[in-house]
Amino acid sequence: METTTLNTLAIGQKATIVTVGGEGILRRRFLDMGLTPKTKVMVRKRAPLGDPIEIFLRGYELTLRLDDAKKITVVPEDEP
């Protein structure tokens, strides 16, 4: 089981969240937005300069800055 961070996923790639980093209010904000362990996510888009990224989880789109995405550890799904 190889882990990486959310910011390294390619467009269209799916993964499962393993851990949510950050401290205090930032970590609470991530959890409140639905970024919890065992949640499946998919990268939908990247801004022209790469930051921010848009991810799809729990039936909605969420935009995250790359600095925030670096704090979320994921396990990428195997490609078919």
Side-chain angles (χ1 to χ4, degrees):
M1 179 167 86
E2 272 189 50
T3 61
T4 187
T5 53
L6 190 56
N7 65 302
T8 63
L9 299 179
I11 294 173
Q13 191 172 10
K14 296 177 183 179
T16 302
I17 297 174
V18 178
T19 58
V20 179
E23 293 184 2
I25 294 172
L26 179 61
R27 185 169 192 279
R28 171 55 43 201
R29 187 180 69 140
F30 288 155
L31 297 173
D32 287 346
M33 289 188 292
L35 295 165
T36 57
K38 299 182 184 174
T39 300
K40 298 203 181 289
V41 297
M42 180 186 73
V43 176
R44 295 281 294 257
K45 301 181 209 174
R46 286 188 180 271
L49 297 177
D51 190 12
I53 62 172
E54 181 180 288
I55 61 172
F56 182 78
L57 71 154
R58 299 179 185 264
Y60 72 96
E61 287 91 22
L62 176 66
T63 302
L64 286 176
R65 294 177 295 180
L66 287 182
D67 285 343
D68 291 340
K70 288 177 185 176
K71 294 176 174 73
I72 299 167
T73 306
V74 297
V75 174
E77 285 187 6
D78 294 332
E79 296 298 317

